[in-house]
């Protein structure tokens, strides 16, 4: 028996630029090594099967709403799952109304709101475009130009830098039983 993994997705559309006309799809299959996974991308579907080291089996087939261009699509298997940027075959400003051909709602498909941009706002976010920075697809196999300074708002101190006291800590009294010995008591002990 196999489990159906969670699938998240978002999209962009363009009537003139093929490179800006795509779907983001993420299949959440943690701890499935690439060696035990099989991913098949066709013009009308995406299917995945794989097993974790502990023999948990995952399987999902997505019959897509419309056709994609597998030749110009990208996939990347990470320790968390399979990331894909699937190029839509037909140019157009309109978004697909859903990911799957069938209009029935399925429990395992969710919108990826971290990557989603509304149709009327998609030209404004060109610099932060995920597909342009899709990890692992740079010419040298690097991280594809991801700007890590944008993670966490670029404020690394907000992540809990060492040696910093939180505001107001210096005015707190010592806890009962944790009193610091005074200099006088230290002299008496010597």
């Amino acid at each position: 028996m196999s489990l159906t993994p969670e699938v998240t997705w978002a999209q962009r559309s363009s009537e003139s630029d093929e490179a800006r006309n795509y779907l983001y799809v993420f299949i959440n299959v943690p701890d499935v090594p690439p060696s035990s996974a099989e991913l098949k991308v066709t013009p009308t579907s995406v299917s995945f099967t794989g097993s974790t080291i502990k023999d948990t089996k995952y399987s999902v087939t997505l019959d897509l709403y419309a056709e994609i261009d597998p030749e110009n699509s990208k996939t990347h298997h990470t320790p968390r799952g399979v990331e894909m940027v699937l190029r839509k075959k037909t140019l157009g400003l309109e978004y697909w109304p859903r990911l799957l051909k069938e209009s029935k709602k399925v429990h395992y498909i969710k919108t990826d709101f971290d990557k989603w941009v509304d149709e009327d706002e998609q030209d404004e976010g060109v610099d932060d475009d995920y597909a342009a920075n899709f990890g692992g697809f740079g010419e040298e196999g690097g991280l594809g130009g991801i700007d890590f300074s944008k993670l966490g708002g670029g404020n690394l101190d907000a992540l809990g830098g060492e040696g910093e006291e939180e505001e107001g800590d210096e005015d707190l009294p010592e806890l009962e039983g944790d009193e610091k010995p005074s200099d006088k008591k230290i002299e008496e002990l010597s």
Side-chain angles (χ1 to χ4, degrees):
M1 171 154 174
S2 64
L3 301 174
T4 302
E6 178 183 76
V7 176
T8 57
W9 78 292
Q11 65 181 312
R12 301 288 186 280
S13 291
S14 173
E15 63 184 352
S16 60
D17 186 0
E18 290 179 347
R20 303 227 40 239
N21 196 43
Y22 49 81
L23 306 167
Y24 302 123
V25 179
F26 178 73
I27 301 174
N28 186 12
V29 285
D31 302 325
V32 173
S35 60
S36 69
E38 183 180 328
L39 178 68
K40 185 176 180 184
V41 179
T42 70
T44 58
S45 70
V46 173
S47 61
F48 174 87
T49 57
S51 299
T52 65
I53 296 169
K54 295 181 180 179
D55 209 29
T56 301
K57 295 176 183 359
Y58 290 101
S59 177
V60 66
T61 298
L62 307 171
D63 293 320
L64 302 172
Y65 175 79
E67 287 193 29
I68 60 168
D69 180 3
E71 298 296 319
N72 290 305
S73 296
K74 301 174 185 178
T75 62
H76 182 66
H77 195 122
T78 71
R80 294 179 336 127
V82 179
E83 297 176 78
M84 294 176 275
V85 176
L86 305 173
R87 174 103 36 106
K88 295 177 185 177
K89 188 169 187 171
T90 305
L91 291 173
L93 282 178
E94 299 81 31
Y95 274 7
W96 288 7
R98 58 188 176 274
L99 178 62
L100 300 180
K101 179 177 262 182
E102 193 173 322
S103 62
K104 181 177 85 171
K105 182 155 175 79
V106 292
H107 72 280
Y108 58 88
I109 295 185
K110 297 179 177 19
T111 302
D112 187 341
F113 289 107
D114 290 337
K115 294 182 184 76
W116 191 273
V117 174
D118 290 333
E119 285 178 80
D120 58 344
E121 297 174 355
Q122 63 183 336
D123 290 332
E124 297 171 15
V126 174
D127 292 339
D128 293 330
D129 195 2
Y130 180 77
N133 297 324
F134 190 62
F137 293 104
E139 291 195 13
E140 298 168 12
L143 293 175
I146 295 175
D147 183 0
F148 287 99
S149 69
K150 292 182 181 179
L151 297 176
N155 183 1
L156 296 179
D157 293 335
L159 298 176
E162 288 185 32
E164 295 182 18
E165 287 187 21
E166 288 189 28
E167 205 172 294
D169 280 354
E170 64 278 350
D171 296 333
L172 295 176
E174 295 297 322
L175 295 175
E176 199 173 306
D178 287 344
E179 294 177 15
K180 292 183 180 177
S182 68
D183 291 336
K184 186 175 181 182
K185 288 183 180 176
I186 292 175
E187 288 175 12
E188 291 175 3
L189 294 174
S190 324

